[in-house]
Amino acid sequence: MTLQQLKYVIEVARSRSISKAAQNLFISQPSLSNALKELENEIGIMIFSRTNKGIILTPEGEEFLGYARQVVEQVALLENRYSNTQSVQQHFSVSAQHYAFAVSAFVRLLKEYKRDEYEFTLRETKTYEIIEDVKNLRSEIGILYVNDFNRNVIQKFLREGNLIFHELFEAKPHVFISSGNPLAKQDYVTLTDLIPYPYLSFEQGDYNSFYFSEEILSTISRPKNIRVSDRATLFNLLIGLNGYTISTGVISQKLNGKDIVAVPLRVDERITVGYITHKNVTPSPLANIYIDYLKESIAEEQAQV
């Protein structure tokens, strides 16, 4: 087993294609296939399975990939510490629902990461895709919420994907509204107060189930509904249309300014936000640092509420 073979496995898992991985690695496809076959024969497991949708990791392959990443990252740390050679480009990915604190932590990580080369990815995406990203090792960390309504369904998908939910904090529901909204100066709002205003939510694509909704109370019928796919559009519509959305109340003034405010929503609900990881993968040093920054960002932004 060689370090190069481990790098091959990591790249194929990332690309989910032998041909694309070969291009990225600047080697021929037959050479890459042979190297992977030799490795599988040596360690006695099948790392990848070929399907109509492309290359996927087997359960044994998922576990092997976790160890391979640790070895490659530790070698990179040694090279960066004791060698004058060019540093190895590092990869790190996070998939998240649309939370400002996830972005704040990502910004901190990048500012503290003193390297000339890296490839980091932050995907603000749909709930089902977050689970799929971590399950298929496209992302090391996924950030989402559970509550009494969706907990059983989300936990079922997490169990089936060998994923673990780690709680970050519990929050009382708030509405995000424009600072110019007539409700902005109230101590709290009720669902009745919100009826005249457009309700904004994040669309969930093919998995547009109430259980995958990014907002609680998704089963309630509302007269005015707008679905969006990104946070910037949602905030622009909150301001332009005096709309509202329901979230945790944790908001970053550094990223979002003072045009959006959080007002408590008087309902008997709680939101538990956490991050998910793969059971068979030990978090990388970058993942552990990001998690620490997540907790710090949440604490700072909660203090603003």
Side-chain angles (χ1 to χ4, degrees):
M1 185 188 308
T2 66
L3 183 64
Q4 192 64 55
Q5 286 174 315
L6 300 184
K7 292 178 180 179
Y8 288 170
V9 170
I10 293 169
E11 182 57 37
V12 172
R14 191 175 73 89
S15 302
R16 300 211 302 172
S17 164
I18 293 286
S19 59
K20 187 180 294 185
Q23 291 176 2
N24 294 339
L25 293 164
F26 302 103
I27 63 173
S28 68
Q29 185 173 334
S31 296
L32 178 56
S33 296
N34 290 335
L36 293 175
K37 188 67 175 176
E38 289 174 3
L39 177 61
E40 288 178 326
N41 289 338
E42 179 182 349
I43 61 179
I45 66 169
M46 180 180 291
I47 301 173
F48 295 104
S49 176
R50 290 167 174 77
T51 70
N52 293 333
K53 295 182 179 180
I55 296 290
I56 63 171
L57 285 159
T58 65
E60 295 85 359
E62 290 176 356
E63 184 177 11
F64 180 84
L65 178 62
Y67 287 114
R69 279 181 169 154
Q70 291 180 66
V71 171
V72 171
E73 287 170 359
Q74 291 299 321
V75 170
L77 290 172
L78 284 170
E79 290 177 343
N80 290 336
R81 176 67 179 85
Y82 296 108
S83 172
N84 293 323
T85 59
Q86 186 178 8
S87 61
V88 177
Q89 187 182 62
Q90 299 257 339
H91 298 268
F92 177 67
S93 296
V94 176
S95 296
Q97 291 177 330
H98 299 77
Y99 295 123
F101 58 80
V103 180
S104 297
F106 200 78
V107 169
R108 289 188 182 194
L109 180 65
L110 284 168
K111 285 183 175 180
E112 292 298 320
Y113 190 71
K114 309 294 186 182
R115 299 290 185 275
D116 293 330
E117 294 187 21
Y118 54 79
E119 184 174 323
F120 287 6
T121 304
L122 174 60
R123 300 184 182 93
E124 285 193 327
T125 188
K126 304 170 183 65
T127 303
Y128 180 81
E129 291 180 3
I130 294 169
I131 296 172
E132 284 294 295
D133 282 350
V134 181
K135 172 185 172 182
N136 294 315
L137 307 179
R138 287 191 292 271
S139 290
E140 254 194 276
I141 293 172
I143 302 170
L144 46 74
Y145 87 91
V146 295
N147 69 343
D148 288 343
F149 176 74
N150 74 358
R151 182 175 281 106
N152 289 340
V153 172
I154 296 296
Q155 291 290 2
K156 174 180 179 292
F157 277 85
L158 298 184
R159 284 194 303 272
E160 291 174 351
N162 288 319
L163 306 178
I164 306 172
F165 180 85
H166 312 263
E167 181 176 337
L168 285 167
F169 68 97
E170 184 178 86
K172 296 180 180 180
H174 287 64
V175 294
F176 287 163
I177 55 177
S178 164
S179 58
N181 189 297
L183 302 176
K185 297 189 183 304
Q186 294 189 188
D187 293 333
Y188 64 87
V189 296
T190 65
L191 292 172
T192 302
D193 294 331
L194 297 169
I195 290 175
Y197 300 95
Y199 169 65
L200 290 102
S201 60
F202 290 106
E203 58 96 14
Q204 297 295 324
D206 293 338
Y207 291 87
N208 198 28
S209 159
F210 292 133
Y211 297 108
F212 288 111
S213 172
E214 194 165 327
E215 303 79 22
I216 67 166
L217 305 174
S218 57
T219 59
I220 293 176
S221 177
R222 298 172 173 87
K224 302 174 183 179
N225 296 273
I226 302 173
R227 291 190 177 89
V228 300
S229 60
D230 66 275
R231 188 153 44 90
T233 300
L234 183 138
F235 280 179
N236 286 336
L237 292 176
L238 290 185
I239 296 169
L241 298 175
N242 263 347
Y244 74 95
T245 192
I246 301 176
S247 190
T248 62
V250 180
I251 191 167
S252 171
Q253 291 187 355
K254 288 182 181 178
L255 294 177
N256 305 121
K258 297 182 179 180
D259 292 331
I260 304 294
V261 297
V263 180
L265 176 62
R266 178 166 280 189
V267 290
D268 187 21
E269 297 279 347
R270 291 293 184 273
I271 302 169
T272 302
V273 178
Y275 64 93
I276 59 174
T277 57
H278 201 289
K279 187 184 298 184
N280 297 329
V281 178
T282 302
S284 69
L286 286 174
N288 287 325
I289 294 170
Y290 179 74
I291 291 166
D292 288 339
Y293 284 149
L294 262 183
K295 295 174 181 177
E296 291 178 14
S297 297
I298 289 166
E300 290 177 7
E301 292 169 17
Q302 282 179 323
Q304 299 174 14
V305 177

